[in-house]
Amino acid sequence: MRPMVMILLVLTLVGCATSPRTAPGSGEPATLAVLNARVWTGNPRQPWAEAVAIRGERLAAVGSTAEVRGLVGAGTRVIDAKGQFLVPGFNNAHVHFIDGGHRLASVQLREAKTPAEFTARLKAFVAAVPKGTWITGGDWDHELWGGELPRREWIDAVTPDHPVWVNRLDGHMSLANSAALRAAGVTAATQEVPGGTIVRGPQGEPTGILKDNAQALVDRVRPPPPAELSDRALEAAMRYVAEQGVTSVQNMGTWEELAIFERAHAAGRLRTRIYAAVPLETWERLRDTVAGRGRGDTWLRIGGLKGYVDGSLGSHTAAFHQPFTDAPADKGLLVNTPEDLYRWVSGADKAGLHVMVHAIGDRAIGLQLDTFARVAAENGPRDRRFRIEHAQHIAPGDVKRFAELGVIASMQPYHAIDDGRWAERVIGPERAKTTYAFKSLLDAEARVAFGSDWYVAPPTPLEGIYAAVTRRTLDDRNPGGWVPEQRIGVEDALRAYTLGGAHASFEEQEKGTLEPGKLADLVLIDRDLTRVPPETIRDAKVVLTVVGGQAVFER
């Protein structure tokens, strides 16, 4: 009987491999079908397929074109993919969504390559807005002109009627003109702020640059944008990310931003799924909010908290064990004390909330891993999915701790090809070996989720996949990849942008793979990323983005 049992088992497995996977109610016609595609499902039980059928907002079937064609009815919209690449919708695991939307309409300083161009762009922008308007955003990058920090003298003469408060692209330092400093009352006599820096001239006068916590001195007097403008920023953000194939985002934001999302949700205007985190120190308010109304639905979810350990590498405020290579007296700073972080994380974890903490320098990452380990030991086992946001410069001995502690590395691969232009000058070649350590983390079997950190970097997953796979810096000076041993494969990068993001927000049962019954969030790309030369991935184009069975972008 044993040979017969084996034959029956093989026939059963063959049938499973060739039959379409379908959801309940599979006899009803599909509302949308995509045929003749090269489908990467992200589902290890059925990695590849040719077609999908959608019924309403969920996937009804995943299988061959012939099989899925059987679900096409008179009312079915049919898309012939003609061999193009279909994948789960991209989940951007770290964004500042409203800020990104505002940035689409703000002064554009990211590409300014000289101080003169920096000044000229501001001059042109203020000429088109009413006097007295605060000029914010900007996203400048001083590395483009050699690393000299801008000063208020650069812009005072061209912005006499506008307070200017424009940030470096990482958001960890900003430049104020004299009008903004006057509004904030910042002078040579202003005391330093713990966890921040007021950059000063020879006589102690502020140059206009404020770093990390010192930015609050100006932030507190800057008027908030009106509700109508914020609603427009959300619309712009959703439209823009849909063009990039992004169907879900995880917003590292504020209670005010949550109110914007809630307003849009109530009006039925959400076209991007949002997991909205609020500040870690407000965990008690979130605890009470979740207790009162739950965690939301598939369009808008709450329950996450975002905290900070340190600043950023580009601002020299990331916290390291050893000094910066180019600043031997400077090891960065902590924007919150370890004691406060422990207290907030412990309280939030006891309340069953989801904690994610920004840590960039090796000292900051180690401190936060220690805090997570302590809290988990004290509060007992549960599925907590602690996250470290960015996890950029990991001490070699800490790589394996991510896996051991079950901490998710929430990373943004575009940063690697951006910072890689200059990072070694700041931290040296040895520390660079475990900078943006995608491969080392995956080899250690740690969970990795990819995002963009938009507005800091563009919310373009195709560029992020290119960055993770090639590590070719933006200046094209590293054709073989900057720290090439940390390159990963295309499927690993796709997984981090899809299932990795879904797992990082406790939503892997709803999205992240193309499986019957899951949400019909998917993106069609003009080429198979697994079969093209890696250096051409950034040339790929999104053809179609579908969220909940509805096309939200078509090229």
Side-chain angles (χ1 to χ4, degrees), residues 215-275:
Q215 294 177 109
L217 296 170
V218 177
D219 284 339
R220 67 190 180 193
V221 302
R222 182 187 63 174
E228 180 184 1
L229 194 58
S230 293
D231 290 343
R232 287 170 56 191
L234 174 58
E235 289 292 329
M238 290 191 294
R239 183 169 55 252
Y240 185 57
V241 301
E243 295 170 1
Q244 317 306 324
V246 174
T247 58
S248 295
V249 298
Q250 300 178 29
N251 188 65
M252 306 294 135
T254 65
W255 287 94
E256 290 77 16
E257 290 170 351
L258 176 58
I260 297 167
F261 302 146
E262 290 172 334
R263 195 158 59 235
H265 190 20
R269 291 189 286 106
L270 285 183
R271 299 187 304 281
T272 307
R273 303 188 193 279
I274 301 172
Y275 182 37

Side-chain angles (χ1 to χ4, degrees), residues 39 59 68 132 172 258 273 276 288 323 381 405 473 481 517-518 524:
V39 183
L59 287 160
V68 170
H172 288 269
L258 176 58
R273 303 188 193 279
D288 297 343
L405 297 171
T473 52
K518 285 194 173 184
L524 185 65

Side-chain angles (χ1 to χ4, degrees), residues 112-294:
K113 292 182 171 58
T114 66
E117 185 181 355
F118 180 93
T119 301
R121 289 190 178 213
L122 273 166
K123 180 181 180 180
F125 187 83
V126 300
V129 297
K131 291 182 179 181
T133 303
W134 277 71
I135 310 302
T136 60
D139 303 336
W140 46 268
D141 181 2
H142 62 301
E143 297 294 340
L144 292 179
W145 58 74
E148 179 187 4
L149 291 178
R151 301 183 299 277
R152 57 192 168 106
E153 290 85 359
W154 292 11
I155 60 174
D156 277 348
V158 299
T159 60
D161 303 315
H162 301 80
V164 174
W165 182 228
V166 288
N167 59 274
R168 185 184 185 273
L169 57 86
D170 61 6
H172 288 269
M173 63 178 166
S174 300
L175 173 69
N177 69 350
S178 292
L181 291 176
R182 282 194 301 271
V186 177
T187 68
T190 302
Q191 297 295 307
E192 290 294 332
V193 177
T197 302
I198 301 171
V199 178
R200 302 175 188 269
Q203 306 305 316
E205 73 282 3
T207 67
I209 291 289
L210 282 72
K211 297 185 178 185
D212 279 295
N213 289 354
Q215 294 177 109
L217 296 170
V218 177
D219 284 339
R220 67 190 180 193
V221 302
R222 182 187 63 174
E228 180 184 1
L229 194 58
S230 293
D231 290 343
R232 287 170 56 191
L234 174 58
E235 289 292 329
M238 290 191 294
R239 183 169 55 252
Y240 185 57
V241 301
E243 295 170 1
Q244 317 306 324
V246 174
T247 58
S248 295
V249 298
Q250 300 178 29
N251 188 65
M252 306 294 135
T254 65
W255 287 94
E256 290 77 16
E257 290 170 351
L258 176 58
I260 297 167
F261 302 146
E262 290 172 334
R263 195 158 59 235
H265 190 20
R269 291 189 286 106
L270 285 183
R271 299 187 304 281
T272 307
R273 303 188 193 279
I274 301 172
Y275 182 37
V278 293
L280 176 58
E281 61 270 23
T282 68
W283 69 268
E284 291 165 305
R285 179 179 174 184
L286 182 61
R287 175 198 61 197
D288 297 343
T289 301
V290 168
R293 68 177 198 231

